[in-house]
Amino acid sequence: MRLTILGAAIGALLLAGCASQPQADQAKRFAFGSAAPAGYTPVSTSTTYDAGRGYGFEPGAAQGSYFSVDLPEGNYRVTVTLGDDTQPATTTIKSELRRLALENVQTAPGQKLERSFIVNVRTPQIPAANGVAAGEVKLNVPRETVSEAWAWDKRLTLELNGARPAVRTVEIKKVEVPTLFLLGDSTVSDQPGEPYNSWGQMLPRFLKPSVAVANYAQSGETYRDSLSKRRIDKILSQMKPGDTLLMQYGHNDQKQIASGKGGPFTTYKAEIKTHVEMVRARGGLPVIVSSMERRRFDPAGKIQLTLTDYAEAARQSARELNVPFIDLHAMSQTMYTALGVEGSKAAFALPAPDRLDNTHHNNYGSYVLAKAIVLGMRQAKLPVASHVVDDFAFDPARPDPVSAFAVPPSPGRKAERPAGDESNREVRVSSTGSAR
């Protein structure tokens, strides 16, 4: 795993990346295997990344699993040619910090199959643009400068995964496409390793290669943190008319009640309004998303609600400010009920064999929640919903069976529990498997 430290070291790394860049509008092409077509740079599994060459496989990870390329900040269309000359193959590709791009693409022996997806590359620096003062995002140290450094460096990283992955070529080209920005907490943010995942990481899987997802959510944070740490400023500096921002906070905002520093129908709504006004002033479309529920059942097997006030405040804000609303709070209850007391465990992270995290989701849970978000985008008739993949279908009352879920875990990437929601930590699973 690559480690990045704060201060001069990260600055030097970013400057070194800049020095090695070709013109941003030029495509970069790489070929994996014995023969490289004309115009492609040959790469083998032993080609280790270094700043001098500006590309290669990340050191310290499983060989051939994480391929990185130095690139300036922006949106990129990645086009891959998949397939093996002699063997059937199944390839899954994730980008940056485990953002699902291609899921289990199968190829027959000798087949060549081309697929494309969009990847957003970013840095902490905030340019003076769109009425936003220059500066930088106040990253959480060490989380965002070490385990989540891949989300902030001037590199595009591809995770090549699958039962038998076969990537022949990769082409990367900067593009101008609409951007779907995300703000939220740990249930939305790019989680750096297993067993945790978020719907923000799964969302790109359900979109065509005509829109970018730029995920600025962060574990443990609130609307107030978005303002003070300048995450919203970073988004606004890049926002173009027609771009969309999905905002989902609530889990950590609850802590402000106990500390006497806020509440759902006062400061929470005021901070939502501030975000809405800032986005509208740049020609963007703000969308409010209510937080999904935690997994908590009473002895009768009925869901116990823990976020009702914040979900209602989000709904009220959407109505009062006349902005689109996605009711993930309601859809999550429908999903958990359909899965049942025992079945719903399969949607949540299991950091140890006898510990279940009833707040944070695993790959399966985040996958079905991402589908709920996409359904909500369609139901709200958001313009960005026109970029949803053609074969999309989802019913929260009939979530995808966990037995059919086959997105492979990310190799060599483990993570500690995401920050925030400390009052709802893991619960012990008994020998009989019970945990409500």
Side-chain angles (χ1 to χ4, degrees):
M1 179 185 296
R2 180 172 70 253
L3 299 183
T4 308
I5 63 173
L6 187 65
I10 191 170
L13 173 64
L14 299 180
L15 288 173
C18 282
S20 63
Q21 304 305 327
Q23 294 297 315
D25 60 350
Q26 293 179 350
K28 289 194 171 187
R29 298 179 177 89
F30 302 92
F32 303 85
S34 56
Y40 284 76
T41 300
V43 176
S44 71
T45 55
S46 62
T47 304
T48 303
Y49 174 86
D50 66 56
R53 69 163 63 96
Y55 66 87
F57 285 99
E58 292 292 342
Q63 189 177 44
S65 56
Y66 296 98
F67 180 72
S68 291
V69 182
D70 286 350
L71 289 168
E73 184 173 76
N75 293 328
Y76 292 85
R77 176 171 287 111
V78 179
T79 301
V80 295
T81 304
L82 307 176
D84 185 89
D85 288 336
T86 62
Q87 300 290 328
T90 302
T91 304
T92 291
I93 297 181
K94 305 174 190 178
S95 70
E96 296 292 84
L97 269 185
R98 306 170 62 228
R99 305 171 195 164
L100 184 61
L102 299 178
E103 177 189 358
N104 294 324
V105 180
Q106 297 184 346
T107 50
Q111 183 181 9
K112 294 182 180 181
L113 190 62
E114 188 175 281
R115 289 286 185 270
S116 295
F117 50 91
I118 304 295
V119 179
N120 175 264
V121 175
R122 67 174 185 223
T123 71
Q125 282 67 46
I126 302 173
N130 281 353
V132 177
E136 64 180 32
V137 178
K138 298 175 183 177
L139 301 182
N140 293 330
V141 180
R143 184 179 180 91
E144 290 182 275
T145 57
V146 181
S147 64
E148 296 180 8
W150 288 7
W152 292 105
D153 58 7
K154 286 191 174 180
R155 305 183 199 176
L156 189 159
T157 299
L158 298 177
E159 175 187 322
L160 310 181
N161 203 334
R164 190 182 184 281
V167 179
R168 296 174 181 264
T169 64
V170 173
E171 179 186 88
I172 304 172
K173 187 174 180 62
K174 196 167 187 179
V175 293
E176 294 294 331
V177 295
T179 301
L180 175 59
F181 294 98
L182 308 181
L183 269 178
D185 52 36
S186 55
T187 61
V188 187
S189 66
D190 287 344
Q191 295 301 327
E194 307 292 344
Y196 302 99
N197 204 273
S198 77
W199 65 253
Q201 290 173 289
M202 293 295 185
L203 188 60
R205 153 67 178 86
F206 304 107
L207 299 173
K208 297 176 181 178
S210 53
V211 64
V213 175
N215 191 349
Y216 284 89
Q218 179 53 222
S219 297
E221 294 196 350
T222 65
Y223 276 111
R224 195 171 301 172
D225 292 314
S226 166
L227 295 165
S228 65
K229 296 186 177 182
R230 302 202 67 189
R231 298 191 194 277
I232 184 61
D233 285 347
K234 175 68 176 183
I235 290 172
L236 298 175
S237 72
Q238 304 171 83
M239 183 166 278
K240 297 179 177 62
D243 287 345
T244 304
L245 171 61
L246 302 186
M247 306 180 294
Q248 182 222 286
Y249 288 106
H251 283 81
N252 301 296
D253 302 74
Q254 282 187 318
K255 293 182 291 187
Q256 296 167 1
I257 298 176
S259 63
K261 296 180 179 179
F265 301 105
T266 53
T267 55
Y268 180 75
K269 289 181 68 174
E271 289 156 4
I272 288 177
K273 183 179 180 181
T274 298
H275 281 74
V276 167
E277 291 173 344
M278 296 169 85
V279 172
R280 280 178 165 164
R282 275 77 181 181
L285 177 63
V287 180
I288 300 171
V289 181
S290 60
S291 294
M292 77 289 287
E293 262 299 345
R294 302 177 177 95
R295 179 190 170 277
R296 185 176 296 180
F297 292 87
D298 66 17
K302 184 179 179 180
I303 290 179
Q304 293 181 309
L305 303 181
T306 66
L307 285 154
T308 303
D309 284 349
Y310 281 89
E312 178 56 28
R315 182 192 303 277
Q316 289 180 13
S317 294
R319 182 175 61 251
E320 293 164 3
L321 299 170
N322 193 29
V323 298
F325 178 62
I326 296 176
D327 197 350
L328 189 59
H329 184 252
M331 285 192 281
S332 67
Q333 295 174 56
T334 302
M335 286 168 45
Y336 301 162
T337 298
L339 291 168
V341 175
E342 292 301 315
S344 60
K345 295 176 187 176
F348 289 81
L350 195 69
D354 64 340
R355 307 295 294 183
L356 181 69
D357 189 323
N358 282 324
T359 296
H360 299 104
H361 302 88
N362 58 16
N363 291 320
Y364 167 70
S366 61
Y367 187 92
V368 291
L369 283 168
K371 297 186 82 169
I373 289 290
V374 174
L375 177 63
M377 287 165 47
R378 279 189 168 176
Q379 291 174 337
K381 296 180 172 58
L382 303 185
V384 73
S386 65
H387 299 278
V388 173
V389 293
D390 294 333
D391 62 349
F392 176 80
F394 184 65
D395 179 356
R398 296 175 178 80
D400 303 12
V402 67
S403 59
F405 182 74
V407 174
S410 299
R413 294 196 66 88
K414 300 292 182 181
E416 296 180 354
R417 187 181 192 271
D421 208 39
E422 289 84 0
S423 62
N424 291 279
R425 296 189 66 84
E426 300 94 340
V427 297
R428 185 172 297 279
V429 181
S430 71
S431 58
T432 61
S434 61
R436 294 189 183 274

